[in-house]
Every structure is written in C-alpha cells, then in structure tokens.
C-alpha cells in the first residue's frame, strides 16, 4: 500500500493512502490498495453525456460542445461561450439549467464577474455543460423539465448505462449539482473507464461497430483534444493531458477520484485518495501513470507536487511513499 506524504522540511505534515484500479485490455481488473466503494461524481460525465446524446437522437454537435458537455469546467469565458452555444442549438435559455449557482473555479473569471457588477448563475456551475445536454434531452423526450430526480427517465437511463459499464449494481446518492451520482467499487469505476479506452481505440481505428461505442469514443476523443474546455487553467487534469507523451483522456471526479483512459494501450486507471484531499492527487496520478510506463513530460519541479511559502520559497514536497504498517 502506498500513500501521498506531504512534508515541510523533514516534518511529515499529512499522509494520504490511495488506491489504484487498472482495467487491462484482456478484461482483467486489478487493484493496488483497497477496492473502496466511492461515488462516481463528475468522472461519470462521459457516460451521462452519451445517454443525453442518445436521447437527443445523436444530433450534430461540435467537439467543443462535447468537451464542455463532459466537463467540470472553470467557468472561464471560453467555457461559458460553448455552454451558451449548446443551449442555443436546442432552443433553451439559461433558465433551463438546474445545477445551482456557484462562483467560477477560475478566480480571475470570478473577480471579473464581480467587478462588472454581475452575479453568479447556474451557467457558472462547473457542471453546466452536462446540465445543458440533460435539459435538452428532457425537452426533446417530452419529459419533466426538472431532470434531476433519480426516478426521472433520463436519470434511470444514466444509472442503467453506468451499471452496465461498471459491471454491477450502483448505490445511489445526490451529486453536488443535484442529479444522482452512483457508487461503485473502484474496480467497477476502472472497468467502466476501460470502456472509454476501448471505445476511443475503436473510433481511432474506424472500427466502432455500434452506436454506443461510437458515441462514447467520440466524446472521449473530444475531451482529449480539448482539455482546456473539459477542465480549466492551472488544473491537474489539463496539465496531465498536455504533459502526456501519448493520447490520453482524463476526468477528475470529486473527493480524490481521478480516472484515466489510454486508448493506444486500451488501458484505464482509476485513482482514489482515501482522504478525499485533492492536493494529494497530483502525486498519486503521476505515480499511477509511471507504474504503467507513462512518464509525464511535466516541468521540473512540478508546482503541484511542491510545498511553497507565501513568498514562493520551496518549503517541502508532496510525494508517494510506501505506507508504513
């Protein structure tokens, strides 16, 4: 078992055990650490978007729209522009979104809204892209405009899709944006992301023989090609995609979950920090990728694995160490 250890000088300030589940091309799923059950949270967005696209009849949408539809975006201007395009394409207003308002994760964008005398709206929610597609799918199907309840047909379809991909029954809870989130063992989450990797490989080889594979593969490639839209400035998932020496699609969940698809290897990884502390993820993700032979071309030293003083001086590090019994 391994842990992310944060030090300040020689002092250990925090220890975060983590687990990694790997879904291999031959169908095996292995787990290093504990096969903990955790909520899928935002790492389920490619699957949720695929369900919405199917309900919409697979409309012609751009890669940018797909990337934002699967995003936990930072509400920078480019993100908001694309969400508005999604709403406009399906004849919806911002009032159709039911994800709740919060400040943009990108602080300069939040400050710009406040300086202009504006207010934060559902559009600024990091899940607004996913919700725009859900609202559109509900409208096209003549369903209740409040698409959030677990018994809504759209959410029942999301649950079925994720259970099929993960290979087991889900526990159901409420996500931060109000729609259901589904709990699975980490091995099931890795298995689901194995479908992402396999779908990407099939699409790249022009060998996607069914609509489900083609849909999921197209979404995942859009995420890989437009990581700035799926994530945001200065964030881990954006850095990982840009630093990878090979095609990669990644998605942060919440509470220390991070999912990875490597289409050329048909391999998927699901990383879970037991404490849920996001600051431990950079070291855990880099370690997990290095274990399967993917060395990220990151700036050295990488700021996300350093501890610095307010004045910018290096005071410690965040690194992976064997967990002592």
């Amino acid at each position: 078992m391994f842990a992310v250890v944060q030090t300040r000088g020689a002092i250990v300030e925090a220890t975060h055990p983590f687990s990694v589940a790997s879904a291999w091309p031959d169908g095996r799923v292995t787990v290093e650490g504990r096969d903990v059950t955790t909520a899928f949270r935002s790492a389920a967005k490619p699957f949720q978007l695929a369900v919405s696209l199917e309900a919409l009849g697979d409309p012609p949408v751009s890669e940018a729209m797909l990337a934002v539809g699967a995003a936990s975006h930072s509400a920078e201007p480019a993100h908001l522009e694309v969400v508005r395009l999604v709403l406009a394409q399906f004849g919806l207003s911002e009032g159709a979104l039911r994800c709740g308002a919060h400040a943009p994760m990108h602080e300069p964008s939040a400050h710009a809204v406040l300086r202009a005398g504006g207010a934060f709206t559902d559009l600024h929610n990091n899940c607004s892209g996913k919700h725009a597609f859900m609202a559109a799918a509900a409208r096209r199907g003549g369903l209740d405009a409040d698409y959030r309840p677990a018994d809504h047909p759209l959410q029942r379809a999301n649950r079925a899709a994720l259970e099929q991909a993960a290979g087991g029954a889900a526990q159901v809870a409420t996500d931060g944006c109000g729609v259901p989130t589904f709990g699975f063992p980490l091995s099931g989450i890795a298995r689901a992301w194995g479908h992402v990797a396999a779908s990407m490989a099939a699409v790249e080889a022009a060998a996607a023989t069914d609509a489900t594979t083609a849909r999921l593969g197209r979404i995942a490639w859009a995420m890989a090609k437009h990581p700035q839209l799926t994530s945001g400035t200065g964030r881990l998932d954006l850095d990982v995609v840009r630093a990878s020496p090979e095609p990669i699609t990644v998605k942060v969940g919440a509470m220390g979950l991070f999912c990875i698809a490597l289409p050329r290897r048909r391999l998927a990884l699901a990383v879970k920090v037991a404490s849920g502390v996001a600051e431990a993820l950079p070291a855990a993700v880099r370690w997990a990728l290095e274990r399967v032979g993917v060395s990220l071309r990151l700036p050295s030293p990488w700021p996300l694995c350093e501890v610095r003083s307010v004045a910018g001086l290096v005071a410690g590090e965040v690194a992976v160490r064997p967990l002592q019994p």
Side-chain angles (χ1 to χ4, degrees):
M1 185 97 178
F2 288 83
V4 174
V5 178
Q6 180 172 324
T7 59
R8 188 172 295 273
I11 303 167
V12 174
E13 288 198 308
T15 301
H16 305 281
F18 67 91
S19 301
V20 180
S22 306
W24 302 93
D26 61 6
R28 289 179 303 121
V29 178
T30 59
V31 180
E32 186 143 21
R34 295 178 56 225
D35 194 11
V36 294
T37 294
T38 190
F40 223 130
R41 303 292 299 274
S42 287
K45 283 179 177 174
F47 301 94
Q48 292 167 312
L49 177 56
V51 168
S52 292
L53 290 176
E54 182 178 12
L56 285 163
D58 290 312
V61 292
S62 68
E63 286 186 343
M65 291 182 184
L66 293 177
V68 161
S72 297
H73 64 70
S74 294
E76 297 169 55
H79 299 125
L80 304 187
E81 178 184 352
V82 180
V83 177
R84 290 189 180 105
L85 288 175
V86 174
L87 291 169
Q89 175 155 335
F90 297 108
L92 298 171
S93 69
E94 293 179 24
L97 300 173
R98 297 174 182 258
C99 43
H102 66 62
M105 289 193 283
H106 184 241
E107 287 189 9
S109 294
H111 296 161
V113 172
L114 296 175
R115 282 197 304 270
F120 305 131
T121 71
D122 290 43
L123 192 70
H124 297 101
N125 189 301
N126 74 94
C127 299
S128 63
K130 174 182 76 175
H131 279 250
F133 278 99
M134 286 186 175
R139 179 175 179 178
R140 186 181 190 274
L143 305 173
D144 192 323
D146 186 355
Y147 48 82
R148 295 171 297 178
D151 62 353
H152 191 283
L154 188 63
Q155 303 307 336
R156 291 203 304 268
N158 280 322
R159 178 176 181 173
L162 285 162
E163 288 183 334
Q164 182 176 12
Q171 296 183 33
V172 183
T174 303
D175 210 337
C177 61
V179 300
T181 187
F182 305 102
F184 296 98
L186 193 63
S187 57
I189 291 175
R191 184 176 291 108
W193 268 76
H195 289 288
V196 176
S199 296
M200 292 178 75
V203 167
E204 185 176 38
T209 57
D210 62 274
T212 299
T213 298
R215 196 178 294 122
L216 187 60
R218 185 178 175 220
I219 291 167
W221 276 113
M223 296 168 68
K225 293 175 183 177
H226 304 277
Q228 177 72 36
L229 291 176
T230 301
S231 176
T233 302
R235 288 173 52 192
L236 171 63
D237 34 4
L238 177 62
D239 281 354
V240 169
V241 174
R242 287 182 169 173
S244 176
E246 63 186 80
I248 189 171
T249 294
V250 306
K251 187 72 194 70
V252 66
M255 299 304 292
L257 179 65
F258 196 93
C259 294
I260 301 165
L262 294 157
R264 300 277 169 86
R265 300 167 186 253
R266 299 174 67 91
L267 170 65
L269 305 172
V271 181
K272 170 66 179 180
V273 176
S275 64
V277 173
E279 286 82 353
L281 266 177
V285 167
R286 182 169 63 177
W287 180 89
L289 283 167
E290 287 177 348
R291 295 277 278 194
V292 296
V294 180
S295 182
L296 299 179
R297 296 168 180 164
L298 293 161
S300 183
W302 191 29
L304 294 178
C305 282
E306 289 181 331
V307 176
R308 288 182 176 268
S309 70
V310 176
L313 300 175
V314 176
E317 68 173 4
V318 182
V320 173
R321 297 180 182 176
L323 187 62
Q324 301 300 320

